[in-house]
Amino acid sequence: MLLENRTAVVTGGSRGIGRAICVAFAREGANVVTCYAHGSSAAEETVKLCKEFGVEAVAVQADVAKPEEVKCLFAEAKKITGTIDILVNNAGITRDNIILRMKDEEFDSVIDTNLKGAFYCMREAAGVMMRKRYGRIVNISSVVGIKGNAGQVNYAASKAGIIGMTKSLAKELASRNITSNAVAPGFITTDMTSALPDNVKDELLKEIPLGRLGSPEDVAEAVVFLVSDNAAYITGQVISVDGGMAI
Ligand code: NDP
């Protein structure tokens, strides 16, 4: 097992990519602490799936856009094994609109959750990881943060911002044996993308050289690699998991 006796915090683990990451971590022997905004029964299902691998798992209701709730999340995580080895900033939302119609609230809520939420979590995790001189941080960005996308200036700003934070933190924390990397998924089948009409999905498929949509598990396996000892010499990188979409 690649992550035996590690403790991981994974934000937004109640469904989609976050759940797949939690379950893959548990399979590799890590204890898992996840959080969600609203979906408590879905989060409990994630916990159940993790516990089937014999690890500790807990789900905490914590809105990552609220620093005081992020503090509670990390306090809960420290209760499990007294430490935190891994942080995955996965929680994310979209509020798409063309720029002329985009409201301040639509812009701010996406930045608050996707970008500031990741910052609050990294700040909490960094203190623990620096003291133990070990840590693995993975931030979930997006192909949209690399290439941009019409109707998503808010989301693209948050996901491009995550890449800048990831690289800055890699430089800041490398001397303490802490790596910081980003994963940039392409078009992954989750609730976030299920609402897209079929004709939009068909157009998107034409942009994917591997000719299929990605699964949450495709993303989770890349994250497992990045937080494992096999990736000990990789930091400040953005790994695209997108079937070639960003080429
Ligand atoms: P989903 O919408 O399926 O799940 C989002 C998760 O984030 C849920 O667990 C949700 O909890 C949680 N969440 C949302 N807002 C908050 C918040 N304020 N505080 C805590 N938890 C929150 O998304 P995906 O699985 O599709 O996406 C996961 C990540 O991957 C996101 O960052 C997304 O931007 C990124 N991504 C996704 C792609 C895709 O094609 N699906 C492509 C590229 C990137 P709750 O259930 O309580 O709402």
Side-chain angles (χ1 to χ4, degrees):
M1 288 194 287
L2 291 171
L3 308 176
E4 208 163 6
N5 297 324
R6 303 277 193 223
T7 296
V9 173
V10 180
T11 66
S14 58
R15 52 202 162 91
I17 294 170
R19 174 182 282 174
I21 293 169
C22 290
V23 173
F25 280 6
R27 183 196 73 210
E28 296 299 333
N31 299 311
V32 175
V33 180
T34 191
C35 74
Y36 59 93
H38 310 289
S40 67
S41 56
E44 286 311 321
E45 178 62 21
T46 300
V47 165
K48 186 170 153 268
L49 292 169
C50 291
K51 284 185 170 172
E52 283 170 12
F53 292 99
V55 300
E56 300 277 353
V58 64
V60 179
Q61 181 169 27
D63 181 344
V64 295
K66 297 185 177 149
E68 63 283 2
E69 294 190 19
V70 169
K71 275 191 194 304
C72 293
L73 168 66
F74 280 80
E76 199 59 44
K78 277 184 254 174
K79 270 191 214 160
I80 289 196
T81 56
T83 192
I84 295 157
D85 304 287
I86 297 164
L87 166 65
V88 180
N89 281 307
N90 164 80
I93 57 168
T94 51
R95 295 279 184 279
D96 300 350
N97 219 334
I98 57 168
I99 193 150
L100 292 181
R101 289 201 197 125
M102 188 170 285
K103 298 181 182 67
D104 292 358
E105 186 278 325
E106 288 170 334
F107 191 88
D108 291 344
S109 61
V110 169
I111 297 294
D112 286 351
T113 298
N114 299 8
L115 190 62
K116 289 174 81 175
F119 160 66
Y120 297 140
C121 292
M122 292 195 299
R123 188 170 57 185
E124 291 296 323
V128 184
M129 292 174 176
M130 284 169 81
R131 275 193 294 281
K132 69 185 301 191
R133 292 184 176 269
Y134 178 88
R136 294 278 185 269
I137 296 171
V138 173
N139 295 317
I140 306 299
S141 177
S142 168
V143 65
V144 171
I146 296 170
K147 295 196 350 167
N149 196 25
Q152 290 197 308
V153 291
N154 50 359
Y155 186 75
S158 73
K159 294 299 182 181
I162 279 221
I163 292 174
M165 288 204 304
T166 302
K167 293 185 177 186
S168 299
L169 206 65
K171 289 185 172 175
E172 203 170 311
L173 301 183
S175 65
R176 308 294 178 103
N177 191 29
I178 300 167
T179 65
S180 166
N181 291 290
V183 167
F187 188 9
I188 311 298
T189 44
T190 69
D191 292 349
M192 189 176 268
T193 48
S194 64
L196 291 174
D198 283 345
N199 63 326
V200 174
K201 285 184 191 166
D202 291 343
E203 284 307 309
L204 279 166
L205 262 178
K206 289 183 195 156
E207 290 178 38
I208 304 173
L210 282 179
R212 68 169 175 90
L213 308 187
S215 70
E217 290 72 25
D218 286 325
V219 181
E221 294 308 325
V223 178
V224 167
F225 168 67
L226 285 173
V227 303
S228 75
D229 287 342
N230 293 336
Y233 202 55
I234 299 175
T235 196
Q237 302 305 305
V238 184
I239 309 292
S240 289
V241 182
D242 64 359
M245 215 176 162
I247 296 169

